[in-house]
Amino acid sequence: MRRVCVISGGITKFAKANPELTQEAMCKDAFDRALADAGLELKDIDSSICTYFSDHFNGQLLFDSLTQDYLGLCPKPSMRIEGGGATGGLGIRAGYMNVASGLSDVCLVYGFEKMSEVSTAKGNEFIALASDTDFDFPVGGFYSGYYATMAQRHMHEFGTTAEQFARIAVKNYDNAFYNPYAQKHERLTVQDVLNAPMIATPITRPMVCVMSDGAACVILASEEKAKQITRRLVYITGLGCGTDTMRLGDRPRGDVILLPGEEPEKYAYLKGRWPGVASFRGGREAARQAYLQAGITDPLHQIDFAEVHDAYASSELQTYEDMGFCKYGDGGKFVESGLPYLDGELPVNPSGGLIACGHPVGATGIMQGVFALWQLQETIQDHMKSDRLQVKDARRGLIHSHAGTGTYITVHILERGW
Amino acid sequence: MTDVYSFQPLMVRRPYRIEYIHSYGEVSQFFLGLKEQKLYASRCPRCGATWLPPRRDCGKCGAKCNWFEAPTEGKIHTYSVLHFAGEAFLNDLPFVLVYVEFPGIDTVFLSRLVGVKPEDIVIGMPVKARFKRLVEWNANDVYFVPA
Ligand SMILES: [Zn+2]
């Protein structure tokens, strides 16, 4: 396989509603920004991967052909990738395959979602249709409800508190305040978050990501091609993908999957109990694969920042543990220690994450790739008109994309090569 | 007549409705069983895994499972009190989701809990199944109450 670089990225400002533009025009705006940033032209793109989540949001099937056409990419090869909330991350994985295999030298990975054409309650119903419609949807019909039961179990098993979830939401809002692409520019206190309207105990409204209209793209290239295009090389050095049962209740209770360098004794206290409904086995498996490939044995110190899928503040906390940033059960202490803050040892979601940037599903996992690329190219100042969110001396970043209750999870490790 | 929502940009209402003739296929017995006030689960004869909801084919080893009757009393494994929901369930709010653990069953079962004040719910609390008399042939034909 060939080495693969991310050479540029583009994104639209995520918004609650963007009725001024169609999805294809939003994709074009993101694409034009990525082309301009790399000094590329349309003819330089060999292939594309299109990612969007749901046909229900707009009633348009084969939207990928509409966008492929609009971007001027016909008759080049393309493919749509879909995997719930992990749609964008899976798209980057597919783009990597295109380039690493030699099928393409330069591949555009672009994704979008326009969620504003239906009411929030209807949108939640569509998202919930991505749970088992025979057994789970008729009973709950709401993803926040499913994640809330996971959060409740985590609190029961490990003593995690709602205040710790609230701290994560506050952190992400604080970061997004300096991200002009974010949907939300608000400042909240822990008390504000805890006192906000309850969605599903223990999750309040600001602990949940918001529906959004947006598009994002990254351009991937072979190392050889990338060297002709940019001096600021950023390599994809590790990829992982994990899955889990569609129904949360079917998750096994066994032993922790060990990350490279971990010994079984470390998790003796969880023997026969993991993951249950408190953790994401697919996330752990994705991290294991990616760390093995990238040679990571001490993620807390060997990774400089992470953009993780915080559809819920609680799932960000659970993800700290899955990624091995701390031990299982220590996610609450991890946030209290300050480590995932912008000035901490391992800033998590310096962009503001999904909670504050918004979650236009098909664009989200790619958004993470864009922000991670800018961190590693040290171009946050250029793109955000402020270097406030630039992680100092960022050499290695992790991006984590996640679908409904952890059914699909991807992890990519991006590394600076300049 | 097309209902115009806005002229700048032009936005129109576009309704969409569909009816599916949906099959529960190989797990039909579970839904039929709810009318008999029974919870049908499945057990793998090869690896011993037990599944509720049931599966014809074992999700661990792939062997064909056998049906058996699950207990109707269990404990709350985890729960949440919902104050918001998808459109189809807005009229039910607030309601309580529970995952119930049963003795001898490897999985935990998603259902609704009724007849208890939210502040009185605790993990580990004993609960028992109740079955709707007027079945709607869906997973809500069973729900739970404190035991
Ligand atoms: Zn089996």
Side-chain angles (χ1 to χ4, degrees):
Chain A
M1 289 206 296
R2 304 193 293 178
R3 298 187 79 191
V4 177
C5 294
V6 187
I7 55 172
S8 74
I11 188 167
T12 63
K13 186 201 176 300
F14 290 178
K16 184 176 168 60
N18 186 3
E20 305 297 325
L21 295 178
T22 61
Q23 290 79 333
E24 52 271 35
M26 292 196 297
C27 290
K28 180 72 161 79
D29 286 351
F31 182 37
D32 280 346
R33 283 169 197 162
L35 283 177
D37 199 40
L40 293 176
E41 295 172 38
L42 188 54
K43 65 172 170 52
D44 298 318
I45 306 294
D46 296 331
S47 67
S48 74
I49 298 290
C50 172
T51 71
Y52 68 100
F53 161 55
S54 178
D55 299 315
H56 288 61
F57 279 110
N58 317 103
Q60 170 69 63
L61 275 68
L62 201 60
F63 220 131
D64 34 325
S65 283
L66 229 166
T67 48
Q68 174 81 356
D69 165 356
Y70 194 89
L71 296 180
L73 290 168
C74 300
K76 293 171 184 176
S78 186
M79 201 162 52
R80 175 194 174 186
I81 298 286
E82 190 275 318
T87 289
L90 289 165
I92 293 177
R93 185 175 171 87
Y96 179 96
M97 292 176 189
N98 257 350
V99 176
S101 64
L103 279 176
S104 300
D105 286 331
V106 182
C107 177
L108 168 71
V109 181
Y110 70 98
F112 64 88
E113 210 78 42
K114 190 174 197 180
M115 306 173 81
S116 65
E117 294 195 350
V118 298
S119 71
T120 299
K122 187 53 112 180
N124 272 307
E125 188 181 310
F126 288 161
I127 292 167
L129 288 171
S131 62
D132 185 322
T133 53
D134 281 354
F135 291 100
D136 289 355
F137 175 80
V139 177
F142 188 35
Y143 255 106
S144 298
Y146 307 148
Y147 279 88
T149 65
M150 298 187 85
Q152 199 86 47
R153 186 70 199 183
H154 199 280
M155 294 165 78
H156 174 77
E157 291 205 10
F158 305 116
T160 310
T161 64
E163 187 188 321
Q164 290 165 338
F165 298 143
R167 280 173 187 254
I168 290 174
V170 169
K171 165 181 74 68
N172 293 352
Y173 282 108
D174 278 350
N175 291 348
F177 199 76
Y178 301 96
N179 179 352
Y181 299 93
Q183 180 166 328
K184 297 234 173 186
H185 292 116
E186 293 171 19
R187 290 226 126 123
L188 297 173
T189 65
V190 167
Q191 275 314 310
D192 292 337
V193 175
L194 290 173
N195 295 337
M198 187 60 75
I199 297 292
T201 57
I203 293 176
T204 63
R205 194 177 294 272
M207 297 183 196
V208 186
C209 66
V210 283
M211 298 206 198
S212 192
D213 289 357
C217 72
V218 288
I219 298 176
L220 307 183
S222 64
E223 180 180 31
E224 187 188 348
K225 200 82 182 178
K227 282 179 172 168
Q228 298 164 20
I229 297 165
T230 178
R231 191 181 65 80
R232 300 193 179 198
L233 290 176
V234 172
Y235 291 90
I236 298 177
T237 58
L239 297 91
C241 177
T243 55
D244 216 328
T245 60
M246 181 64 148
R247 293 190 296 262
L248 178 57
D250 289 1
R251 306 284 162 85
R253 281 170 273 176
D255 299 339
V256 175
I257 293 173
L258 300 176
L259 298 176
E262 284 186 336
E263 299 295 332
E265 297 75 52
K266 183 173 177 184
Y267 294 112
Y269 62 100
L270 279 177
K271 203 158 177 47
R273 287 168 57 198
W274 183 89
V277 302
S279 297
F280 301 109
R281 178 172 59 160
R284 187 67 165 184
E285 173 60 16
R288 188 192 66 78
Q289 296 164 15
Y291 292 176
L292 198 63
Q293 201 178 348
I296 294 171
T297 51
D298 178 7
L300 177 61
H301 298 103
Q302 289 179 301
I303 296 169
D304 300 316
F305 68 92
E307 289 285 345
V308 309
H309 189 99
D310 57 329
Y312 301 92
S314 51
S315 61
E316 177 170 322
L317 185 146
Q318 291 163 303
T319 298
Y320 298 153
E321 302 171 357
D322 297 325
M323 298 298 105
F325 299 164
C326 62
K327 279 173 69 173
Y328 277 106
D330 283 353
K333 283 183 218 148
F334 184 73
V335 66
E336 283 179 350
S337 71
L339 293 169
Y341 286 75
L342 204 49
D343 56 358
E345 174 67 34
L346 202 179
V348 178
N349 286 328
S351 69
L354 284 58
I355 281 182
C357 290
H359 184 18
V361 184
T364 307
I366 300 171
M367 164 193 89
Q368 297 171 328
V370 175
F371 292 144
L373 173 73
W374 293 346
Q375 288 286 1
L376 295 165
Q377 288 184 329
E378 281 188 2
T379 53
I380 291 287
Q381 168 76 47
D382 303 343
H383 294 286
M384 298 194 181
K385 310 298 169 223
S386 154
D387 69 351
R388 176 74 190 224
L389 300 180
Q390 179 70 55
V391 176
K392 304 288 172 271
D393 200 28
R395 304 207 62 85
R396 187 189 261 151
L398 174 149
I399 58 175
H400 162 271
S401 188
H402 164 124
T405 70
T407 43
Y408 276 113
I409 299 182
T410 64
V411 168
H412 291 90
I413 304 296
L414 274 62
E415 283 186 51
R416 189 167 145 169
W418 58 281
Chain B
M1 267 284 280
T2 299
D3 189 356
V4 175
Y5 182 84
S6 136
F7 282 99
Q8 199 55 255
L10 182 58
M11 298 168 81
V12 296
R13 292 187 194 274
R14 191 187 275 181
Y16 178 73
R17 193 187 165 277
I18 192 160
E19 183 176 271
Y20 296 92
I21 310 295
H22 177 66
S23 171
Y24 290 120
E26 71 286 349
V27 291
S28 293
Q29 184 172 340
F30 173 83
F31 295 95
L32 293 167
L34 297 179
K35 190 174 163 59
E36 307 163 28
Q37 312 214 338
K38 287 178 175 155
L39 285 177
Y40 282 111
S42 57
R43 178 182 286 115
C44 174
R46 183 153 72 198
C47 76
T50 45
W51 303 94
L52 180 66
R55 299 176 180 227
R56 185 190 71 171
D57 304 275
C58 177
K60 265 173 85 178
C61 78
K64 290 277 176 291
C65 291
N66 300 316
W67 291 99
F68 74 101
E69 239 181 275
T72 53
E73 294 200 19
K75 288 190 299 185
I76 295 179
H77 184 72
T78 186
Y79 71 96
S80 177
V81 184
L82 272 62
H83 297 269
F84 196 76
E87 189 180 78
F89 307 101
L90 290 177
N91 290 334
D92 299 355
L93 293 173
F95 61 87
V96 181
L97 286 186
V98 279
Y99 277 96
V100 181
E101 52 180 68
F102 296 97
I105 305 269
D106 298 339
T107 56
V108 292
F109 183 77
L110 179 66
S111 194
R112 289 199 192 180
L113 179 70
V114 302
V116 57
K117 282 192 240 134
E119 57 271 27
D120 294 338
I121 304 169
V122 287
I123 287 175
M125 184 175 174
V127 291
K128 59 186 176 190
R130 281 272 179 275
F131 298 87
K132 283 190 189 162
R133 260 192 211 103
L134 277 174
V135 292
E136 293 174 59
W137 306 111
N138 69 35
N140 274 322
D141 288 345
V142 60
Y143 59 95
F144 285 78
V145 296

